[in-house]
Amino acid sequence: CYLCKKGRKNLVYFMNKAETLISIKLKKSIIPYLKRYYVKDYLKNKETTFKDIQKLFKSKVAIRSSFDEDGEKKSNAGKYTSSLNVNPEKTKSLDFNINKVISSFTKKKNILKQQFFVQLMVPNVKLSGVITTIDLKSHTKKYVINYFQGKNTTFVTSGKKNTKVIKYIDNKKYKLHSPFNELIQSVKEI
């Protein structure tokens, strides 16, 4: 989100997921290449969208929602559908998966103004998960890393059991081992 000060009032503007990922400039982390598309443009001329995707992406992609994700008092993280490991060369698969993502948008009245994005899949995943900077149960400030070791990148976000959790309070005496220390440094950069 962007925090803007105007006089004495603070105005908060929350960007959607695609806008946020595009705007972040990082030195310690890499955000896989992505391109966003407006639903209205896609529905008006699907072939143009397919050709653009096929020109830009030569390996498997994720088709992700960028709709009404977060606000000041709520988070819709995980609410909308994402399609993973989509072959961009297969037009029927692109069409099916883009429509699946768009169909998950629950507020239909502004759907034409909404966005989805296509992003390169990360190859050779060994570990994936979710990190927060606050313990959601105790509301204390600490890093909570919920992760899964293996190729399945949806294991944690789909709520499956057998994930591992690390809770860490930043300090000078104890450091996490690799790759978790590097992860904490990347989160600090964001």
Side-chain angles (χ1 to χ4, degrees):
C1 86
Y2 278 123
L3 178 62
C4 310
K5 292 187 178 184
K6 211 174 201 181
R8 294 182 175 205
K9 293 182 180 179
N10 288 334
L11 300 174
V12 178
Y13 166 68
F14 285 88
M15 295 185 288
N16 63 39
K17 191 183 332 180
E19 291 169 337
T20 301
L21 290 171
I22 290 168
S23 71
I24 294 174
K25 306 296 180 228
L26 301 172
K27 294 179 182 172
K28 298 179 183 191
S29 303
I30 298 169
I31 296 172
Y33 178 75
L34 66 105
K35 171 95 187 260
R36 67 182 165 156
Y37 299 89
Y38 284 90
V39 171
K40 69 176 179 181
D41 296 334
Y42 169 71
L43 294 175
K44 189 194 292 186
N45 192 342
K46 290 182 176 187
E47 290 305 316
T48 300
T49 304
F50 298 147
K51 285 179 184 175
D52 189 57
I53 293 169
Q54 290 167 340
K55 179 179 150 194
L56 294 172
F57 298 94
K58 300 300 179 195
S59 59
K60 290 192 177 180
V61 298
I63 299 170
R64 303 179 64 192
S65 63
S66 192
F67 176 84
D68 182 27
E69 295 289 332
D70 295 313
E72 191 172 359
K73 296 185 180 183
K74 68 175 173 75
S75 171
N76 284 323
K79 181 177 181 179
Y80 304 109
T81 298
S82 290
S83 290
L84 305 179
N85 295 305
V86 177
N87 183 340
E89 298 300 318
K90 296 186 177 182
T91 304
K92 285 184 182 180
S93 180
L94 279 176
D95 189 38
F96 173 81
N97 285 290
I98 291 170
N99 285 316
K100 187 166 89 170
V101 170
I102 292 170
S103 295
S104 73
F105 299 165
T106 53
K107 294 179 183 175
K108 303 293 184 190
K109 65 180 181 176
N110 292 325
I111 200 162
L112 295 178
K113 294 180 182 177
Q114 300 307 323
Q115 300 170 23
F116 64 91
F117 64 100
V118 178
Q119 185 174 31
L120 279 174
M121 288 294 300
V122 175
N124 307 316
V125 173
K126 293 181 177 111
L127 184 140
S128 64
V130 174
I131 183 169
T132 61
T133 56
I134 191 168
D135 187 319
L136 298 175
K137 290 181 182 171
S138 67
H139 301 285
T140 55
K141 186 177 178 176
K142 63 178 79 164
Y143 296 98
V144 180
I145 306 166
N146 189 348
Y147 70 99
F148 173 75
Q149 268 183 293
K151 294 179 181 182
N152 187 334
T153 60
T154 65
F155 210 85
V156 171
T157 56
S158 63
K160 293 200 166 103
K161 295 185 182 197
N162 298 325
T163 61
K164 297 177 183 177
V165 176
I166 295 173
K167 294 185 178 186
Y168 176 73
I169 297 172
D170 204 11
N171 67 85
K172 292 180 180 173
K173 189 172 181 181
Y174 300 104
K175 296 294 174 197
L176 291 172
H177 59 81
S178 185
F180 302 106
N181 188 48
E182 292 85 352
L183 176 62
I184 298 292
Q185 300 311 310
S186 292
V187 170
K188 286 179 180 180
E189 181 182 29
I190 294 170

